[in-house]
Amino acid sequence: MKEKLIKLIYEKAFKYSETPVFKLTSGRLSNYYFNCKAVTFSPEGMYLIGNIIYDMIASLNVKGIGGLTLGADPIASAVAYTSYLRGNPVEAFVVRKKAKEHGTMQWIEGNIKEGDSVVVVDDVITTGSSTIQAITRLKEAGIFVKKVVVLVDRQEGGRENILKFLEECGFPAQLEAVVLRDDVMQFRK
């Protein structure tokens, strides 16, 4: 399954240019770009991602899986659906980029609450700032992060930044990438 997912990411999500033309969230320009929505919202991508990540977290005994909207949303939904099919339901949740401005004015949507343990997911990490933003909101809500899973690690320091932040938060969580930049780059040869 993982090899099929890497190939799908290369074919649908990966863009490359000899000159750095792709603007990243950090504002930096890069020679390559991963737009994983083309994979995470596709039926085949959802099937592969749901199964692969579910297998990575099945033994953790967590209440939920989610992260910062929008990158985490289809991943969390795919894993939640797969978890139900496998008889071990894990709730999907969303962390907003800004608090809801009406009603309950929540940062986090879904069926998780203070004291619950969760897995944080993201589609791509470069510096890790989006993942760190989600972890921050969860910590503020009294929710314990057991693990971070990223679909694609660009291998540019994000993993290290996230692990350092998890440690500062008192979460002895681990971080695992489904796919590394190097896994995808092998198709360019």
Side-chain angles (χ1 to χ4, degrees):
M1 276 192 184
K2 183 175 174 178
E3 285 304 314
K4 283 178 91 171
L5 180 59
I6 294 169
K7 189 169 188 234
L8 192 64
I9 289 170
Y10 178 75
E11 291 170 354
K12 290 186 175 242
F14 181 73
K15 307 282 184 238
Y16 185 84
S17 170
E18 290 299 323
T19 58
V21 296
F22 302 106
K23 189 173 184 178
L24 304 177
T25 304
S26 66
R28 189 173 59 80
L29 293 177
S30 176
N31 291 60
Y32 62 96
Y33 183 70
F34 291 95
N35 181 5
C36 287
K37 278 49 160 203
V39 174
T40 61
F41 282 110
S42 75
E44 182 181 15
M46 290 180 119
Y47 171 77
L48 294 169
I49 291 164
N51 280 283
I52 291 168
I53 295 179
Y54 174 77
D55 287 342
M56 293 167 76
I57 70 161
S59 66
L60 292 179
N61 191 28
V62 292
K63 172 74 176 191
I65 184 167
L68 195 67
T69 195
L70 176 73
D73 301 353
I75 297 170
S77 296
V79 175
Y81 179 76
T82 302
S83 73
Y84 182 82
L85 292 177
R86 301 262 199 104
N88 182 24
V90 176
E91 298 281 344
F93 67 87
V94 172
V95 178
R96 295 175 178 274
K97 291 183 180 176
K98 64 179 199 170
K100 191 173 175 180
E101 294 180 0
H102 61 281
T104 57
M105 299 179 204
Q106 298 182 116
W107 282 96
I108 302 166
E109 296 290 347
N111 297 313
I112 60 169
K113 63 185 181 327
E114 184 176 352
D116 286 340
S117 293
V118 300
V119 171
V120 172
V121 291
D122 208 341
D123 59 350
V124 180
I125 59 166
T126 304
T127 64
S129 62
S130 295
T131 307
I132 288 170
Q133 188 177 344
I135 294 166
T136 299
R137 296 291 172 221
L138 292 162
K139 184 177 191 289
E140 290 170 353
I143 296 167
F144 185 82
V145 177
K146 270 196 174 177
K147 185 172 188 166
V148 174
V149 177
V150 298
L151 182 58
V152 176
D153 181 352
R154 287 178 52 102
Q155 297 174 281
E156 295 183 22
R159 167 188 289 273
E160 294 78 9
N161 292 340
I162 294 165
L163 287 170
K164 182 178 180 217
F165 186 74
L166 286 165
E167 187 178 319
E168 289 169 2
C169 290
F171 296 141
Q174 43 185 295
L175 186 149
E176 195 170 353
V178 178
V179 176
L180 301 175
R181 172 199 63 208
D182 291 348
D183 296 329
V184 177
M185 289 297 221
Q186 72 182 343
F187 286 101
R188 289 204 70 249
K189 296 177 181 170

